[in-house]
Amino acid sequence: MKKLHSVVCVKVVPKPEEIRVDPDTNLLIRDGVSSEINPPDMNAMEMALKLKDKYGGVISILSMGPPSFENALRVALAMGADHVYMLSDRKFAGADTLATTYTLAEGIRKIGNVELIFCGEESSDGATGQVPSGLAEWLGIRQLTLLTEIDIDINKRLGRGRREAKGGFEILEVPLPAVVSVKTASNEPRFMDYRIKDWSFMPERLTFWSAGDLQVDENYIGLSGSPTIVIGLAEAPTRTRKQRYLVGSPDEIVQQLLDVLHIP
Amino acid sequence: MMLVKESHKNKTYVINDTLWERLIELTDGAASLCYQCGVCTAACPWGLVRKDTFSVRTIIRKAQLGLQNVNDTLWLCTTCGQCHLYCPRGVNICEVFRSLRDIAWEEKITADGLPSLLWSVFWNGNPWAQPPSRRADWAKGLEIPYFDKDQHEILLFIGCTSSYDRRAQKISRSLVKVLQAANVRYGYLGENEPCCGEAVLSTGHKPYFRDIAKKTIEVFNNSGASHIVTLSPHCFDVFKNHYPTDMLQNQITFEHYTQYLAQLINDERLVLSGQNETSTSEIDLSLGIGNIPKINITYQDPCYLSRHNQEYLAPRQILELIPGFQLVEMEHHAEDGLCCGGGGGRMWLETAPGERFADLRIVEATNTNAEYLVTACPFCVVCLEDSVKSKRIDSLKVIDIAEALALYL
Amino acid sequence: MVASRYTPAEEQKTIWVYLEQENGVLENVSLEILTKGRELADKMEWQLTGLLLGHDMGDISSSAFAYGADVIVFADHPLLENFTIEAYSDVIEKAILERKPSVFLLGATPNGRDLAGRLAVRFRTGLNADCTELRMEKKTGVLVCEVSGFGGGILALIEMPSHRPQMATVRPGVFEPKPRNHNLTGELVELNVNLNPDSIYTRVIERMVGEQVDLARVPVIVAGGRGIDGEFESLRKLAKLLGGAIGATRPPVDDGYIPREYQIGQTGVVCSPEVALCCGISGAFHFIVGIEKSKTVISINIDPDAPIFEFSDYCIVSDVNEMIPRLINALEDIQETTHEKVT
């Protein structure tokens, strides 16, 4: 029987609380900011690993980013995956989700023989949540989104997932291959397996691909492939709490509270 | 309907012949001394809160038979050490539990919430999922010097809990005030202070703990510190008893702050005045200036200072010197002190109401008619204060020794 | 440069809003976006169109007209009864390519996000996700969207001047739904639906629409702590009036006043609402971790030293038992007045 091959798309992101906007250039200051694996992608890893526990098979991690993300990706590998593929090229930089999903799709085509693609629901930096559907569209395959649980029919090659929506849930089934997005915090990601940790940091476990290694149309990658343009950036005012005291008689306070809540 | 169900709750027992040998290996032979007398189970505080006691003896028995413990009781242990104290053969039962937990990590059978705990230490350098860049926020406005080995006598090690937890931060600020009053030349590593790894050690992940110890020792080596004073007894215990000393470049003396302060008092560097001067402490002790009537206070022996490190005297020495305090011991004190319930990783696990040791402990405290329940550990402060609040006992306040001292300086 | 399936030069001066419905009732988020869409359409002097898919929906279009739609483009087909990504994407793709709206807005709901993600790729256009503000440039007809990133710490303004449709998903609970007039009516346009059942791969095995709110995504949370003494009924009322849900800290859960699913905090749910109203909560650290991502935190506590005030934008030192009933009364009064105005 065909081995189950899953890809988990993992993004390495800056720690959100450390990001600042340079008031002179209006650009994000990324220097010196520590990185972490996008937390929802950890949930995606765990869902893929649970399936691997049950059915065996292979898990490949796919990520688009600069070579400096390597260490974080090997940490994900040490959770129990088999290989890391990094799409790394200056030409990929500046990509919005259209270009990112296109590039990831090409990476998945190159990996080949993939039946399941797991993504976190959204990323902690951009938080667009568009990658899973976009990826499925580029690849022309099915999708199961916002899943809290998944199982597969290994004989019929079907994926069946529990999706929360509209205050309730749905149980949906699609034929593989399919993209699966995993609901944030729907599982507890396992810690690194120390029996495979050293092995995960060996050079052979990671492959770098540049734009030239993939069959990409250069119009569709990086800045060229990105319709959206950022015209302004600012640090949100909610960073430090206002600590404004509402005082007066109880009725006066209620009035002030309604104002705060924008209730006329 | 469907979907993946975890199978570790199945009822078939598979005997693992190597389990017992591994356990002997992991505990350096300590586990082999057990002859199943059951005194440990009788001594365990879980017997005070559960009718179906958590049987320490059975867990060890199962391990002897090669049966991995697959239910939650392995994680109930707070490593308070009461069992070890009474064991007629001196079996280091805390070590047995940590080793069984280590094996559980390998089998990937751990209590919920523990993998997240380890990830928090990994990505954030603290078990509280707090941003590393905010580790020194508690010290804002206090102008605490960065540690310089040529200028400072001691490196003050605050620890994760007292850096981030709002209640415990008050202990940090009080301790700094006391050190300043005694003109101690101390320094602090600020945002660069590493995690001691106690949460990882207690929950049993020995290989990851070794990685943490390595990194923290590197920080200590680079700093050139030779005398490190910790705020938490947990950090103190980990440095003193579990860090591989062969990796330290210099000889480092590790002390808990109560030990250091007791010495400062002996050296007359720290003098406790007889009057209640206007203090900027956050605790409102509305006693008159001048002759201070004595109020009852009682002392909670933190497990990691008392049973684990035999330090019963230094804290009491300090308390007895504070004017206005009359120390009254609780029914269970010193070696028999009742655990607050926070050790063994349980600060990060839910303990059901009705099963909280701290609830029992504050009853003992109120029986002494104490106004203050004084302790020397941030876990004890947080757990005991939580119980005081939930039981709405307005007459009792929980404070740390540093906070008590700060009142009188 | 990647090119979208139709250019700005080919666009129609219309703003389209994807309307979500359940059992013949429009979802709140759709009403919110219609209201905002109406505001934008008025500024641009463009047409506002609602896009509705389903089967046997009944007279649902009248509420869409009441909230400002000029036109409702709808598709009624048995294969559209349950949402499936394949059927809905295909029908919407065809409708949009035929009518070429300038702007296409959807709610950032589970289905809205799925549709938006697929269609943006299909149209080769941009998509701004989970927007908290929208603005149209009068001269250029360009939609400018405000989105937040990095856990809410960074705000960005984004546009896609060269691609159409200009797509955006809107965060539920940000815009206030305001009906204009319940007697308004408009144009109904029925779409010709040609769906092949074989192209629908998603099989809905089971479906349950319920009351359960996803605390992690709800726009308003009214959380109760020890100080409310288990009085969650009034909090429920208040939450409903504010269009949100209730949450709790650990003590009332421990005391059995409310199930653990409602617990917010480090060992419970971490949420990021627009507004978190904390009632009778002291502000223990592990609770704060659960609401620190809120846009606005308002706290009511009788203890002036309660740590929660440090984490709050608006602080009310008062007895919750006094404030909550007054707040409820005030909100109920406003609700009555609004109903009177419209009918």
Side-chain angles (χ1 to χ4, degrees):
Chain A
M1 184 171 24
K2 191 169 144 186
K3 237 191 198 172
L4 185 65
H5 186 185
S6 303
V7 165
V8 182
C9 294
V10 174
K11 191 175 182 185
V12 177
V13 294
K15 281 196 180 304
E17 69 281 352
E18 292 181 23
I19 282 284
R20 293 276 178 277
V21 176
D22 186 330
D24 299 323
T25 60
N26 263 344
L27 291 174
L28 293 175
I29 302 173
R30 289 185 193 266
D31 283 339
V33 174
S34 6
S35 305
E36 59 184 9
I37 294 176
N38 178 35
D41 293 344
M42 297 283 278
N43 299 122
M45 278 292 312
E46 179 60 26
M47 189 176 269
L49 287 164
K50 279 196 179 34
L51 272 190
K52 186 180 173 187
D53 286 343
K54 196 168 175 191
Y55 298 106
V58 168
I59 296 179
S60 301
I61 294 173
L62 177 66
S63 186
M64 193 176 96
S68 60
F69 287 174
E70 182 181 338
N71 263 354
L73 294 170
R74 287 183 185 274
V75 168
L77 185 61
M79 290 166 75
D82 298 277
H83 201 92
V84 177
Y85 294 94
M86 278 203 71
L87 306 179
S88 212
D89 196 316
R90 276 191 209 287
K91 293 183 183 167
F92 295 148
D96 72 2
T97 40
L98 189 68
T100 302
T101 46
Y102 172 77
T103 311
L104 289 173
E106 289 305 318
I108 290 168
R109 275 191 237 275
K110 189 165 170 79
I111 294 173
N113 259 320
V114 179
E115 280 187 288
L116 276 168
I117 299 150
F118 290 92
C119 305
E121 179 188 333
E122 61 189 7
S123 65
S124 64
D125 52 3
T128 63
Q130 296 162 217
V131 166
S133 304
L135 201 49
E137 180 64 23
W138 284 115
L139 291 168
I141 61 179
R142 320 280 59 88
Q143 66 190 68
L144 288 169
T145 56
L146 302 175
L147 296 191
T148 52
E149 291 173 53
I150 193 173
D151 201 358
I152 53 174
D153 184 326
I154 196 92
N155 295 308
K156 296 193 190 146
R157 290 342 243 201
L158 298 170
R160 195 182 287 188
R162 185 184 197 279
R163 176 180 192 254
E164 284 179 2
K166 302 215 178 204
F169 68 92
E170 299 171 320
I171 311 282
L172 304 173
E173 185 185 87
V174 297
L176 302 182
V179 173
V180 173
S181 85
V182 180
K183 182 128 179 71
T184 305
S186 57
N187 58 44
E188 187 175 12
R190 65 192 63 182
F191 196 61
M192 287 185 283
D193 184 344
Y194 262 62
R195 287 176 296 191
I196 63 167
K197 189 170 155 290
D198 288 338
W199 169 91
S200 303
F201 280 80
M202 289 182 193
E204 319 79 89
R205 299 267 64 83
L206 191 143
T207 302
F208 280 103
W209 283 333
S210 64
D213 293 312
L214 305 177
Q215 311 273 43
V216 290
D217 177 341
E218 300 219 339
N219 282 314
Y220 282 62
I221 61 174
L223 275 178
S224 288
S226 305
T228 60
I229 301 171
V230 177
I231 60 170
L233 266 182
E235 287 181 28
T238 58
R239 269 290 170 82
T240 39
R241 297 290 175 191
K242 295 197 195 47
Q243 271 193 276
R244 202 174 292 168
Y245 282 79
L246 303 183
V247 291
S249 70
D251 287 322
E252 284 170 349
I253 294 179
V254 167
Q255 259 327 278
Q256 292 173 58
L257 191 48
L258 292 178
D259 285 339
V260 165
L261 294 169
H262 302 302
I263 296 170
Chain B
M1 345 182 62
M2 53 166 288
L3 290 324
V4 181
K5 283 280 177 248
E6 292 305 339
S7 60
H8 65 251
K9 292 193 171 78
N10 64 33
K11 295 219 165 38
T12 25
Y13 292 106
V14 177
I15 294 190
N16 179 350
D17 290 325
T18 60
L19 176 64
W20 185 237
E21 279 166 36
R22 279 224 64 210
L23 195 57
I24 306 271
E25 183 195 358
L26 284 168
T27 59
D28 266 341
S32 61
L33 294 170
C34 171
Y35 63 3
Q36 289 287 291
C37 68
V39 173
C40 51
T41 308
C44 177
W46 274 98
L48 299 171
V49 295
R50 269 195 183 187
K51 236 173 80 192
D52 262 329
T53 57
F54 152 53
S55 174
V56 180
R57 180 184 67 82
T58 310
I59 290 184
I60 300 183
R61 182 60 180 153
K62 281 196 177 146
Q64 286 172 332
L65 293 172
L67 294 170
Q68 174 58 294
N69 191 300
V70 294
N71 61 32
D72 293 337
T73 55
L74 180 59
W75 307 96
L76 290 179
C77 174
T78 65
T79 64
C80 74
Q82 188 88 84
C83 50
H84 181 183
L85 185 71
Y86 283 107
C87 174
R89 307 203 87 188
V91 177
N92 187 343
I93 300 174
C94 296
E95 192 51 43
V96 171
F97 270 73
R98 281 192 288 257
S99 305
L100 284 172
R101 288 175 176 183
D102 190 11
I103 295 169
W105 277 107
E106 285 176 14
E107 308 282 308
K108 297 194 177 69
I109 309 166
T110 58
D112 290 342
L114 295 183
S116 306
L117 177 65
L118 264 56
W119 280 125
S120 174
V121 176
F122 188 85
W123 293 117
N124 300 309
N126 69 81
W128 296 104
Q130 291 302 292
S133 53
R134 299 206 189 131
R135 194 183 180 98
D137 279 6
W138 67 270
K140 274 208 176 95
L142 295 180
E143 286 172 13
I144 298 177
Y146 194 85
F147 180 75
D148 178 346
K149 73 175 196 300
D150 296 320
Q151 286 189 45
H152 297 133
E153 305 169 66
I154 60 162
L155 168 58
L156 178 62
F157 192 90
I158 296 290
C160 303
T161 302
S162 304
S163 300
Y164 291 106
D165 182 292
R166 267 328 203 244
R167 175 57 186 94
Q169 283 177 344
K170 295 182 183 179
I171 306 173
S172 313
R173 288 192 279 268
S174 296
L175 182 53
V176 154
K177 199 172 160 205
V178 173
L179 292 175
Q180 282 168 350
N183 289 316
V184 173
R185 294 183 314 279
Y186 73 97
Y188 164 53
L189 292 171
E191 255 174 63
N192 297 327
E193 184 183 87
C195 177
C196 70
E198 191 271 342
V200 178
L201 177 69
S202 307
T203 52
H205 202 298
K206 288 179 194 262
Y208 180 40
F209 174 73
R210 275 193 286 275
D211 281 354
I212 295 173
K214 235 180 173 184
K215 286 215 177 92
T216 300
I217 286 178
E218 203 183 312
V219 172
F220 289 163
N221 286 342
N222 291 339
S223 73
S226 57
H227 189 174
I228 298 181
V229 174
T230 73
L231 186 149
S232 167
H234 289 264
C235 303
F236 164 61
D237 179 72
V238 149
F239 294 147
K240 180 153 176 284
N241 301 318
H242 297 280
Y243 267 33
T245 42
D246 55 327
M247 291 181 74
L248 292 167
Q249 252 164 36
N250 311 320
Q251 177 84 310
I252 299 185
T253 305
F254 292 106
E255 276 192 305
H256 181 253
Y257 85 82
T258 50
Q259 300 172 314
Y260 184 65
L261 292 183
Q263 189 57 47
L264 287 184
I265 291 173
N266 285 340
D267 294 343
E268 291 182 357
R269 288 183 65 184
L270 178 62
V271 179
L272 301 173
S273 70
Q275 288 194 313
N276 183 18
E277 319 206 7
T278 45
S279 82
T280 52
S281 159
E282 290 121 355
I283 300 162
D284 174 29
L285 217 216
S286 34
L287 298 176
I289 293 175
N291 267 327
I292 297 165
K294 292 233 177 217
I295 55 165
N296 278 359
I297 62 130
T298 188
Y299 174 64
Q300 157 77 351
D301 286 277
C303 304
Y304 274 81
L305 199 53
S306 61
R307 275 185 295 269
H308 285 274
N309 286 286
Q310 286 80 53
E311 185 56 79
Y312 306 98
L313 292 179
R316 286 177 167 80
Q317 191 187 341
I318 298 173
L319 288 174
E320 266 153 21
L321 286 174
I322 296 181
F325 274 8
Q326 177 71 51
L327 175 61
V328 180
E329 299 282 2
M330 288 185 273
E331 185 190 336
H332 294 98
H333 60 277
E335 292 175 330
D336 283 336
L338 178 59
C339 175
C340 71
R346 294 209 61 84
M347 280 301 275
W348 297 278
L349 295 169
E350 282 285 342
T351 305
E355 291 194 337
R356 298 177 184 160
F357 301 166
D359 290 346
L360 297 175
R361 197 49 160 162
I362 58 169
V363 170
E364 286 197 9
T366 50
N367 289 342
T368 65
N369 287 318
E371 275 183 50
Y372 286 101
L373 169 51
V374 189
T375 182
C377 171
F379 289 2
C380 290
V381 169
V382 168
C383 290
L384 293 169
E385 197 171 272
D386 200 62
S387 283
V388 164
K389 284 217 176 112
S390 73
K391 300 293 177 194
R392 296 180 200 244
I393 299 175
D394 295 322
S395 55
L396 185 67
K397 286 190 175 47
V398 178
I399 58 171
D400 203 84
I401 287 184
E403 293 173 304
L405 278 173
L407 293 172
Y408 285 90
L409 296 169
Chain C
M1 184 74 200
V2 65
S4 50
R5 300 271 292 275
Y6 58 95
T7 63
E10 295 169 283
E11 74 177 16
Q12 296 301 302
K13 307 289 183 216
T14 51
I15 294 175
W16 278 36
V17 174
Y18 171 68
L19 301 175
E20 280 193 62
Q21 57 87 18
E22 187 62 43
N23 284 332
V25 177
L26 285 180
E27 300 275 10
N28 267 339
V29 66
S30 301
L31 303 178
E32 291 164 15
I33 305 176
L34 276 174
T35 307
K36 185 68 185 178
R38 183 71 258 162
E39 185 193 304
L40 298 173
D42 284 346
K43 178 177 177 189
M44 300 301 295
E45 291 170 63
W46 286 7
Q47 191 176 71
L48 180 66
T49 300
L51 176 61
L52 191 58
L53 275 64
H55 183 53
D56 281 346
M57 292 176 281
D59 180 27
I60 196 179
S61 46
S62 43
S63 36
F65 291 131
Y67 281 81
D70 299 305
V71 178
I72 305 278
V73 170
F74 74 97
D76 189 317
H77 194 282
L79 287 175
L80 295 174
E81 181 165 4
N82 278 327
F83 175 86
T84 59
I85 188 70
E86 296 92 353
Y88 275 54
S89 313
D90 287 350
V91 170
I92 297 177
E93 180 196 359
K94 190 154 169 274
I96 288 193
L97 288 180
E98 268 171 22
R99 290 165 172 77
K100 304 185 170 55
S102 176
V103 172
F104 182 33
L105 305 173
L106 306 89
T109 57
N111 293 345
R113 286 155 71 188
D114 279 2
L115 271 177
R118 275 260 185 196
L119 291 168
V121 171
R122 210 171 279 194
F123 296 140
R124 302 289 191 266
T125 188
L127 169 55
N128 290 316
D130 208 40
C131 301
T132 46
E133 183 57 279
L134 302 171
R135 195 178 82 223
M136 296 273 329
E137 295 288 348
K138 181 90 183 171
K139 287 209 194 93
T140 56
V142 167
L143 174 72
V144 179
C145 303
E146 178 191 271
V147 301
S148 66
F150 297 100
I154 302 287
L155 290 177
L157 291 176
I158 310 185
E159 61 180 36
M160 60 195 89
S162 318
H163 294 75
R164 296 295 181 271
Q166 302 177 81
M167 289 183 63
T169 57
V170 177
R171 185 182 293 179
V174 170
F175 298 120
E176 216 192 307
K178 277 198 208 102
R180 308 185 113 201
N181 188 332
H182 279 278
N183 291 330
L184 276 182
T185 187
E187 196 189 331
L188 277 172
V189 175
E190 183 161 7
L191 290 169
N192 200 354
V193 175
N194 225 336
L195 276 174
N196 180 358
D198 290 336
S199 67
I200 300 173
Y201 294 94
T202 307
R203 191 163 83 92
V204 180
I205 293 178
E206 193 182 331
R207 196 162 175 268
M208 208 250 331
V209 175
E211 284 296 305
Q212 189 58 40
V213 273
D214 183 358
L215 268 188
R217 295 234 160 234
V218 81
V220 175
I221 291 189
V222 180
R226 204 174 262 137
I228 62 158
D229 282 322
E231 240 299 278
F232 278 97
E233 264 324 293
S234 356
L235 286 198
R236 251 181 253 269
K237 235 192 203 172
L238 182 55
K240 196 154 186 229
L241 286 164
L242 293 171
I246 55 166
T249 62
R250 217 184 67 189
V253 171
D254 283 349
D255 292 339
Y257 288 123
I258 187 167
R260 212 165 271 287
E261 294 90 77
Y262 292 87
Q263 186 176 326
I264 295 172
Q266 187 164 28
T267 50
V269 181
V270 172
C271 29
S272 51
E274 290 292 301
V275 176
L277 179 56
C278 304
C279 308
I281 294 176
S282 61
F285 188 55
H286 46 83
F287 166 73
I288 297 297
V289 166
I291 53 135
E292 60 188 356
K293 291 201 219 156
S294 314
K295 184 155 182 213
T296 304
V297 177
I298 306 169
S299 299
I300 309 174
N301 194 307
I302 197 158
D303 177 6
D305 290 329
I308 190 110
F309 291 133
E310 278 179 78
F311 293 102
S312 306
D313 295 294
Y314 299 97
C315 313
I316 302 172
V317 181
S318 176
D319 186 353
V320 272
N321 300 312
E322 268 225 47
M323 293 307 314
I324 307 285
R326 275 173 214 266
L327 194 49
I328 292 176
N329 283 337
L331 287 167
E332 282 176 341
D333 284 343
I334 292 174
Q335 220 183 38
E336 275 172 34
T337 343
T338 322
H339 279 159
E340 281 164 25
K341 270 198 206 146
V342 174
T343 49

